Amino acid sequence: MSAVLPSSASLYDRVRRVIPPIEWPLFVEDIDAIQELKRQRNAVILAHNYQTPEIFHCVADIVGDSLALARKAMTVDAEIIVLAGVHFMAETAKLLNPDKTVLIPDLGAGCSLAESITAEDVRLMRQRYPSVPVVTYVNTSAAVKAESDICCTSGNALAVVKSLGAPRVIMLPDEYLAKNIAAQTKVEIIAWKGRCEVHERFTAADIRELREAHPGISVLAHPECPPEVVAEADFAGSTAAMSDYVARHRPARVVLMTECSMSDNVAVEHPEVDFVRPCNLCPHMKRITLANIRTALEENRHVVTIDPHVAERARWAVERMLFV
Ligand code: SF4
């Protein structure tokens, strides 16, 4: 007996490696409804690499890491953007599209990094280190971005730091990203104490165990992981860089030290690669579902708003990053 409905068979073909046939009927009605709502409302869905495959591969129009979503958000030709990701990403999309309606399906989709720092914290850091430029990771609120000289993502952090031409920079709020960048430059990096609750849980011992259990495995780590994890990995880079690495090198077996859905989404494109998955789930990313994306489009919620005075300064920091 096949649980796959004929109308959705071609879409299912794409994700059959990561969604069991028994689960697919649970998604079909919402997928069809979302596709119709997008047409009716002139809406697009931007989905982060950590979204589940039924969102990432079946309803999203634009996918990628934070940097790609920020760049592509500027080119969106639609009245409504639904951000399938976390709140700071929706704010970034709104900063770059002030005239469009930006919706986030669940207002509780936060981020431990974004919550680790406030605008007041940044002002205090500036007082403590006068004239030292402030580089702020995009995983922050618009209010924090507004206090910054420039933003960065894990994909461009090193280039952003170098672009400033300063001997010292303040890099907020991810302690591990700051340390991993510091290992690649002579620029002195002053870090904050924020951590990603997903990536901080990986350890160097995890990697050694994986190598023992799977000889020859390629280990790819996200730069939000602790420095000792990055040091033991074969490659470290943003989610986009990890995806490119798999496409270029086509390792027989690979592990991505990052959020769980990333492996599923990359595996869809590379059936010949064996993905080992000791991943960690991001509870914030997982608050986004097909059901609440559908409700967001049906009920126009939750609309992302940013104080205009904050937005103007935050936009400047984001746009400055996009031209590095
Ligand atoms: S994976 Fe980490 S950095 Fe990304 S949203 Fe979740 S908590 Fe934030």
Side-chain angles (χ1 to χ4, degrees), residues 50 86 88 110-113 139 196-199 224 259 282 284-285:
Y50 295 159
V86 295
F88 74 80
C111 169
S112 64
L113 281 170
N139 299 34
C196 163
E197 68 189 83
V198 173
H199 292 98
E224 289 168 12
E259 212 275 344
C282 174
H284 311 289
M285 289 281 181

Side-chain angles (χ1 to χ4, degrees), residues 57-210:
H57 288 290
C58 301
V59 297
D61 301 285
I62 295 174
V63 296
D65 63 2
S66 301
L67 180 59
L69 292 184
R71 283 191 197 285
K72 290 174 188 169
M74 292 177 82
T75 65
V76 165
D77 182 21
E79 286 168 49
I80 296 172
I81 296 172
V82 180
L83 204 300
V86 295
H87 193 263
F88 74 80
M89 295 174 180
E91 278 194 334
T92 305
K94 181 65 183 175
L95 289 173
L96 297 173
N97 293 275
D99 299 329
K100 295 190 168 84
T101 298
V102 176
L103 304 175
I104 180 140
D106 187 325
L107 275 175
C111 169
S112 64
L113 281 170
E115 280 143 31
S116 74
I117 191 161
T118 64
E120 178 61 13
D121 292 329
V122 186
R123 288 192 286 272
L124 290 172
M125 286 292 275
R126 282 199 184 278
Q127 276 172 25
R128 190 162 166 204
Y129 301 101
S131 75
V132 177
V134 175
V135 177
T136 293
Y137 198 24
V138 286
N139 299 34
T140 48
S141 65
V144 165
K145 291 182 176 78
E147 301 295 329
S148 313
D149 293 296
I150 187 167
C151 288
C152 75
T153 69
S154 58
N156 66 10
L158 183 60
V160 166
V161 166
K162 286 182 174 172
S163 76
L164 297 171
R168 284 211 294 181
V169 305
I170 297 168
M171 199 170 172
L172 308 170
D174 187 345
E175 178 187 352
Y176 290 152
L177 178 66
K179 286 182 173 167
N180 287 323
I181 295 300
Q184 301 172 61
T185 174
K186 290 194 168 66
V187 177
E188 184 192 342
I189 307 278
I190 301 163
W192 186 248
K193 53 186 185 298
R195 305 259 179 94
C196 163
E197 68 189 83
V198 173
H199 292 98
E200 71 173 346
R201 284 187 275 153
F202 292 110
T203 67
D206 292 340
I207 297 184
R208 289 193 285 271
E209 279 166 26
L210 280 161

Side-chain angles (χ1 to χ4, degrees), residues 154-155 220-224 230 235-242:
S154 58
L220 280 50
H222 192 279
E224 289 168 12
V230 167
F235 174 79
S238 66
T239 54
M242 282 194 264

